[in-house]
Structures are given as C-alpha cells and as structure tokens.
C-alpha cells in the first residue's frame, strides 16, 4: 500500500482542487435555491395582500419549476461527487506495484447470486442494494468489491431487519485450494444460526480444535469440510491479520468455496457522502474512504501472500 504521507501530497495536488470545484458548484446552486424561494414567497405575500392570490399561484408556477430544476441540479451534484473523488483515489492506488488496473462503477454491485454463494449469511434478502463497485487484481488474485446494504423480513415483526451493511469482497484464486471453510465472529452466531445449520447440513464440521491460535478461536468459530487443509486456507499469518484488521476497522465474516474467497466487512457508516449545507473540502472526509478501501485491499493482499 502507498505510504500515508504520499496520499496527503496527492490530496493537496489533485483531490483538493476537484473538491473546491465541486464545492463552488454546491454553493452556487444553494444560492440560486435560496433567492428563488425568497422571491416566490415575497410575490405570494404581495399578491395575497392585494387579494389576487389565485392569479399569484399561477404566476409562481414558472418559478416553482425553476426551483425544482435547481434541486435536480443539486441531486446530480450529490450523484457525481463520490464517483469523481473515488476515481481520483483509485488513480493514486493504481501506482501500487502489486495492483492491476482498478476499475470503478458507481451504481454497480456484486450480484445477489454471488452474495448467496458465499454461504455466510444464509438468508434470501428482501432488500439487496449495492454501489461503488471496484474490481482489479492483486498479485495472482482477481477481485471485486462493493458496498452492500442487505435486509430481510423480520421473523417476529412486520418490518425489515438488517442482515449486513458494509464492504463485500469476492476474490478468485488462480488455483483452487483444497476444501471449503466458513469463518464467523462468535458475537454474530445468534443471528447466523440458520447459515451455520445449512453449512453443517452439507457435511461440514467444526474445526476450532485444529486451530492453535487461541485468540483467534476466542473471537471466531471456523467450520469446514473434512478434506479442508486449514494451513492452506487459514494460515497463521492470515489469522493474525484478521485479528488486527478487526480491531482497527470492523467485524469480519469469511468463507472459501471452490476457487472463490468471500469477505464481508461490517461498516455502518455512510462513506464519502457529501453534505448540502457545509463545505466538503475536507481531507478527513476523503482520508476515511481511502483508509477503508486501502484496508480492504490490504486484506486481499494478505490472502494473496498467505497462499
């Protein structure tokens, strides 16, 4: 991964000017909305005073349509803000020696069928929303990732319950490892009981007893097939990295099925979402997204190195 001070230099030279351009656009649209609304209220007040209110309503229709157009302009600003900034961040990250070209699509997501193939969450989602799709290569591993918001119908109430919100990664090995595994945080086991039952029903078994890292088995439980070679799918260095990552960024769920390894990183935050009413020229705002993506890619890099 690139060194943090290099990203700070890149931000000052490349990202900050783009943020300033976007912020000028935001302020310009807000000013137009404010003055248009003020004029419309003033005209309506005057016409009401003159007792020709109905005529006044007809006269304000063009102003109302103009203001509605301004709101649409602002909506476009919000939609364009994140893709513009993310593409610049990925341009910076592309310089990493192990990386292939990183491609980004704002409205694309990993397909639901691949989310289900991970066997991590064991639900058929009622809501499956994704965005910020990134694909590329690190070492010998091809990968894609995106932000997901997944919800299911509650079993006890008439509402939607959250299943997963965060970054979902799908990485493909060049050579398929032997066996399959499912790695789940112990704190989430009550919510994932159906997933675990379905995984065991396929003939898989608990493998915690084969893991010597007690800190890892205290935080996670591991299930796998009888022919699973744990030292290949979950080597010591990968367990250490997962524990370190978990403390720094958030809870991790993982599975390996065939040639594909799936990683779900829980993150409840709205990442890099612009504000309407305050400046978005903020290094901290951009740095947070950069660190989240860097951490996800570093996890893939750790998987690549460990295999």
């Amino acid at each position: 991964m690139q060194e943090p001070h290099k990203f700070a230099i890149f931000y000052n030279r490349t990202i900050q000017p783009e943020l300033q351009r976007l912020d000028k656009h935001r302020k310009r649209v807000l000013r137009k909305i404010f003055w248009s609304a003020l004029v419309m209220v003033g005209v309506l007040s005057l016409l009401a005073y003159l007792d020709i209110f109905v005529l006044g309503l007809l006269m304000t229709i063009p102003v109302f349509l103009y203001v509605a157009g301004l709101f649409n302009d602002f909506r476009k600003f919000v939609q364009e803000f994140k893709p513009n900034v993310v593409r610049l961040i990925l341009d910076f990250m592309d310089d990493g020696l192990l990386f292939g070209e990183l491609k980004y699509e704002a409205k694309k997501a990993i397909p639901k069928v691949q989310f289900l193939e991970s066997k991590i969450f064991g639900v058929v989602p009622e809501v499956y929303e994704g965005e910020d799709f990134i694909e590329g290569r690190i070492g010998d591993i091809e990968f894609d990732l995106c932000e997901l918001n997944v919800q299911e119908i509650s079993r006890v109430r008439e509402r939607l319950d959250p299943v997963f919100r965060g970054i979902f990664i799908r990485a493909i090995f060049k050579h398929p490892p032997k066996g399959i595994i499912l790695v789940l945080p112990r704190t989430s086991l009550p919510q994932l009981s159906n997933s675990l039952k379905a995984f065991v029903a396929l003939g898989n078994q608990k493998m915690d007893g084969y893991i010597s890292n007690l800190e890892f088995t205290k935080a996670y439980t591991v299930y796998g097939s009888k022919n699973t070679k744990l030292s290949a799918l979950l080597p010591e260095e990968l367990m250490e990295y997962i524990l370190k990552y978990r403390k720094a960024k958030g809870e991790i769920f993982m599975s390996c099925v065939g040639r594909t390894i799936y990683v779900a990183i829980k993150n409840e935050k709205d990442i890099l979402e612009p504000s309407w009413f305050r400046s978005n020229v903020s290094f901290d705002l951009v740095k947070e997204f950069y660190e989240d993506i860097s951490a996800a890619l570093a996890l893939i890099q750790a998987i690549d190195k460990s295999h």
Side-chain angles (χ1 to χ4, degrees):
M1 296 298 158
Q2 298 273 33
E3 297 175 13
H5 76 277
K6 290 184 179 179
F7 180 71
I9 294 171
F10 181 81
Y11 170 85
N12 289 331
R13 291 178 177 175
T14 307
I15 298 178
Q16 189 177 49
E18 174 64 10
L19 291 178
Q20 291 170 338
R21 185 190 69 80
L22 290 168
D23 217 50
K24 286 179 181 177
H25 178 65
R26 176 189 67 86
K27 291 176 181 178
R28 184 165 60 250
V29 174
L30 275 181
R31 281 196 298 267
K32 289 180 179 179
I33 291 173
F34 173 77
W35 288 112
S36 299
L38 195 64
V39 168
M40 189 163 60
V41 170
V43 170
L44 285 173
S45 299
L46 177 61
L47 294 173
Y49 176 76
L50 297 175
D51 201 21
I52 49 175
F53 192 70
V54 175
L55 177 62
L57 285 177
L58 294 175
M59 292 176 62
T60 57
I61 288 176
V63 180
F64 175 80
L65 293 175
Y66 175 70
V67 173
L70 291 175
F71 274 103
N72 186 57
D73 194 19
F74 207 97
R75 182 179 61 83
K76 289 180 181 178
F77 155 74
V78 173
Q79 291 176 340
E80 293 173 359
F81 179 88
K82 193 172 186 178
N84 287 5
V85 177
V86 171
R87 288 189 179 97
L88 291 176
I89 292 174
L90 295 183
D91 283 345
F92 170 76
M93 299 178 76
D94 262 342
D95 293 336
L97 295 177
L98 289 174
F99 289 0
E101 182 185 359
L102 298 175
K103 299 178 181 178
Y104 172 75
E105 294 186 53
K107 296 303 179 183
K108 185 178 177 180
I110 291 173
K112 185 196 294 187
V113 65
Q114 293 174 358
F115 175 82
L116 297 177
E117 285 173 355
S118 72
K119 304 185 186 303
I120 294 175
F121 296 100
V123 300
V124 179
E126 180 69 18
V127 174
Y128 185 85
E129 300 171 336
E131 61 180 0
D132 296 327
F133 179 88
I134 298 171
E135 64 178 334
R137 177 182 54 79
I138 295 180
D140 289 330
I141 293 183
E142 295 180 355
F143 74 91
D144 47 39
L145 63 86
C146 69
E147 289 184 48
L148 285 182
N149 175 32
V150 184
Q151 300 177 55
E152 65 174 338
I153 297 176
S154 174
R155 299 180 180 89
V156 294
R157 299 179 184 178
E158 293 184 2
R159 68 177 189 184
L160 292 171
D161 284 341
V163 173
F164 172 73
R165 185 177 180 187
I167 297 174
F168 189 76
I169 303 169
R170 189 179 70 103
I172 301 174
F173 291 114
K174 189 174 183 179
H175 304 289
K178 190 175 182 180
I180 65 175
I181 60 168
L182 178 66
V183 181
L184 300 176
R186 293 188 180 277
T187 55
S188 299
L189 289 181
Q191 294 78 32
L192 299 177
S193 58
N194 288 344
S195 172
L196 196 52
K197 288 177 183 176
F199 195 74
V200 172
L202 295 173
N204 300 302
Q205 61 187 12
K206 193 172 185 177
M207 308 198 78
D208 293 352
Y210 299 99
I211 298 174
S212 59
N213 190 324
L214 298 181
E215 185 182 358
F216 190 85
T217 55
K218 184 178 179 181
Y220 293 94
T221 186
V222 180
Y223 282 72
S225 57
K226 293 179 181 179
N227 66 334
T228 295
K229 188 176 180 182
L230 273 179
S231 60
L233 286 174
L234 196 62
E236 182 67 29
E237 58 266 32
L238 182 56
M239 287 189 283
E240 291 293 339
Y241 188 88
I242 289 173
L243 289 172
K244 179 181 176 182
Y245 188 103
R246 176 178 184 258
K247 292 176 182 178
K249 303 305 290 184
E251 197 57 271
I252 287 179
F253 310 76
M254 189 175 79
S255 69
C256 183
V257 182
R259 293 180 57 208
T260 308
I261 189 164
Y262 302 91
V263 183
I265 305 169
K266 194 173 182 181
N267 190 336
E268 302 291 340
K269 298 176 294 184
D270 288 324
I271 308 173
L272 204 64
E273 296 298 334
S275 170
W276 283 42
F277 300 109
R278 67 174 183 271
S279 173
N280 295 294
V281 183
S282 166
F283 176 69
D284 290 337
L285 177 72
V286 177
K287 182 185 176 185
E288 182 180 26
F289 184 85
Y290 166 71
E291 289 179 343
D292 284 340
I293 297 301
S294 290
L297 297 184
L299 181 55
I300 299 170
Q301 190 173 343
I303 292 170
D304 176 54
K305 285 182 178 179
S306 66
H307 294 88

